[in-house]
Amino acid sequence: MKCIPFVLVLKIFLRSPWLHLKYCYSKSSTLTENCKTALCAIPPNPSVRRIILFPVLGSPSCCFTCKLRLQYHAGLASGLLNQQSLKRSANQMGVSAKRRPKAQPTTLVLPPQYVDDVINRIDRMFPEMSIQLSRPNGTSAMLLVTLGKVLKVIVVMRSLFIDRTIVKGYNENVYTEDGKLDIWSKSNYQVFQKVTDHATTALLHYQLPQMPDVVVRSFMTWLRSYIKLFQAPCQRCGKFLQDGLPPTWRDFRTLEAFHDTCRQ
């Protein structure tokens, strides 16, 4: 049988990496099959196995040679696979990036008249709640919601989306020195600071970008449940006060009152 020069074999492998990979796989498979055949040919007697296995498979030269061959071919196969996978992933990423459609903006720009109409309808829905709408910056609306004689809420809106809420006591000042709504300073009372935190959580709960009017109406319905902030007991412990505070949490579905620690 005529031997193929090593240089020729190396050129063929460099030109065809998959042929090299196939060769590495066949070499590894051959070594594994030879070991299996040798093990199956040994009788099941433990003493005979010990006598045969030790000089044949347990010799240092045999094990070391097989280990080096397996590591060599496995390393070559791994390198080839990594190169091919990187090429495929790079090409796919390039194609997907070109064909990927542009993201559509989720914020709806609504005319001010529509926003005013939605706010007026909500104001008529709740007699015990009064809503004053103003536009100090031109287009963005700001609401001053007065809930009975319990509290006042400053609502900062962007179109018909609520950005920020600040809850203060009924007798607290909600205006700055120049007569504008104070959207930065928090309440001086801990109970209304708690309600402000819960209102921020409610904004994250009521999310429906395609129907912002429903979100505003749902939030106002939830806010209206604080009309009995100092009169409703906790639905879990039955107490009116806990650590000197009334139940400041309102369930998003049932609107029931809970203390901050009792709702968990």
Side-chain angles (χ1 to χ4, degrees):
M1 181 177 179
K2 188 176 181 180
C3 296
I4 302 175
F6 177 75
V7 177
L8 180 60
V9 175
L10 182 60
K11 289 182 179 180
I12 296 175
F13 286 166
L14 291 176
R15 292 179 182 178
S16 179
W18 287 110
L19 183 61
H20 193 184
L21 177 62
K22 184 177 179 181
Y23 172 75
C24 296
Y25 178 76
S26 63
K27 279 291 184 180
S28 302
S29 302
T30 304
L31 290 173
T32 306
E33 291 297 330
N34 291 340
C35 292
K36 289 182 179 180
T37 304
L39 290 174
C40 293
I42 298 174
N45 192 343
S47 59
V48 178
R49 278 177 175 268
R50 191 182 303 109
I51 295 172
I52 297 178
L53 283 175
F54 182 75
V56 177
L57 297 177
S59 60
S61 60
C62 178
C63 293
F64 186 72
T65 304
C66 292
K67 183 178 180 181
L68 286 180
R69 289 181 179 178
L70 286 174
Q71 288 181 349
Y72 172 74
H73 293 296
L76 292 177
S78 176
L80 291 173
L81 286 175
N82 289 333
Q83 291 177 3
Q84 295 298 324
S85 63
L86 289 176
K87 291 180 180 179
R88 288 198 301 271
S89 62
N91 294 333
Q92 291 175 0
M93 289 175 62
V95 173
S96 61
K98 293 179 181 178
R99 296 181 180 178
R100 186 182 298 115
K102 295 182 179 180
Q104 299 295 329
T106 57
T107 303
L108 299 178
V109 179
L110 301 173
Q113 295 180 354
Y114 179 78
V115 177
D116 296 349
D117 184 58
V118 172
I119 298 301
N120 291 331
R121 288 202 306 267
I122 296 175
D123 189 17
R124 292 192 296 267
M125 287 175 57
F126 308 115
E128 62 279 350
M129 178 187 295
S130 64
I131 303 177
Q132 299 177 10
L133 188 147
S134 61
R135 299 182 186 276
N137 298 323
T139 57
S140 299
M142 296 181 63
L143 309 179
L144 176 59
V145 182
T146 304
L147 185 60
K149 294 185 178 182
V150 180
L151 52 81
K152 294 180 180 180
V153 185
I154 301 174
V155 181
V156 182
M157 305 189 68
R158 175 171 45 88
S159 184
L160 203 54
F161 296 87
I162 301 176
D163 277 348
R164 181 181 174 86
T165 58
I166 302 95
V167 181
K168 293 188 177 183
Y170 179 76
N171 295 322
E172 287 189 273
N173 185 23
V174 295
Y175 295 97
T176 59
E177 295 179 356
D178 54 356
K180 296 182 180 180
L181 288 174
D182 188 1
I183 63 174
W184 301 111
S185 62
K186 60 182 180 180
S187 174
N188 296 324
Y189 302 98
Q190 186 178 0
V191 58
F192 297 114
Q193 294 177 12
K194 286 280 189 181
V195 178
T196 300
D197 296 338
H198 299 332
T200 304
T201 307
L203 293 179
L204 299 176
H205 176 77
Y206 298 113
Q207 287 290 334
L208 194 59
Q210 302 303 325
M211 301 180 68
D213 53 338
V214 177
V215 174
V216 177
R217 186 165 59 249
S218 302
F219 176 77
M220 292 299 178
T221 303
W222 175 85
L223 188 63
R224 175 181 170 270
S225 63
Y226 284 94
I227 190 65
K228 295 184 178 181
L229 174 62
F230 301 102
Q231 300 176 4
C234 177
Q235 296 298 314
R236 175 161 296 184
C237 66
K239 298 179 181 180
F240 287 91
L241 295 177
Q242 187 180 85
D243 297 331
L245 295 176
T248 57
W249 176 264
R250 296 296 183 271
D251 188 84
F252 296 136
R253 293 185 297 105
T254 62
L255 304 181
E256 294 179 342
F258 292 94
H259 289 115
D260 199 15
T261 56
C262 295
R263 65 185 177 94
Q264 299 177 355

